[in-house]
Amino acid sequence: MREKTIEAYLRRRCKELGGKAYKLTSPGSDGMPDRLVCMPGGRIAFVETKAPGKTSRPIQLLRQQELRDFGCEVYADIDDKGSVDALLAWMQGGDAT
């Protein structure tokens, strides 16, 4: 499975649940997460999707920590549909396990 397959699943599931998964581009700030996910009820998270078994690069880890230091929710290395489902369950106020 490829990263774009996981990202497409994230977008589709967000839409089905009434949310949005905005594509992030940040010129001059390499390593920003792929998506800003916004769900009803005010739950917002930065999400980095990956192909199964792949992990964030050092610049991505730096950006993720910067966002966490600002108090943002950041979910990295989301690499399968089960992880997407767990993330969205948490964002809907449910259990993320």
Side-chain angles (χ1 to χ4, degrees):
M1 189 175 307
R2 296 169 41 189
E3 179 177 347
K4 74 179 198 173
T5 303
I6 302 300
E7 198 168 343
Y9 181 74
L10 173 67
R11 286 192 327 268
R12 187 176 83 246
R13 290 295 296 138
C14 281
K15 185 176 180 180
E16 290 170 356
L17 297 170
K20 295 277 189 176
Y22 296 101
K23 180 72 175 172
L24 290 180
T25 56
S26 186
S29 295
D30 291 343
M32 287 297 289
D34 298 313
R35 296 279 167 174
L36 176 63
V37 175
C38 301
M39 295 297 287
R43 291 274 175 115
I44 298 171
F46 290 90
V47 179
E48 178 65 38
T49 57
K50 291 290 180 190
K54 300 293 183 180
T55 59
S56 295
R57 293 176 286 125
I59 189 66
Q60 292 174 313
L61 294 171
L62 175 66
R63 294 289 175 244
Q64 292 162 14
Q65 189 57 53
E66 287 176 344
L67 293 166
R68 287 183 182 110
D69 289 346
F70 283 120
C72 299
E73 295 287 340
V74 180
Y75 292 88
D77 304 342
I78 301 297
D79 66 353
D80 61 41
K81 292 179 179 181
S83 297
V84 169
D85 292 337
L87 168 64
L88 295 178
W90 171 82
M91 292 188 79
Q92 291 184 295
D95 185 9
T97 58

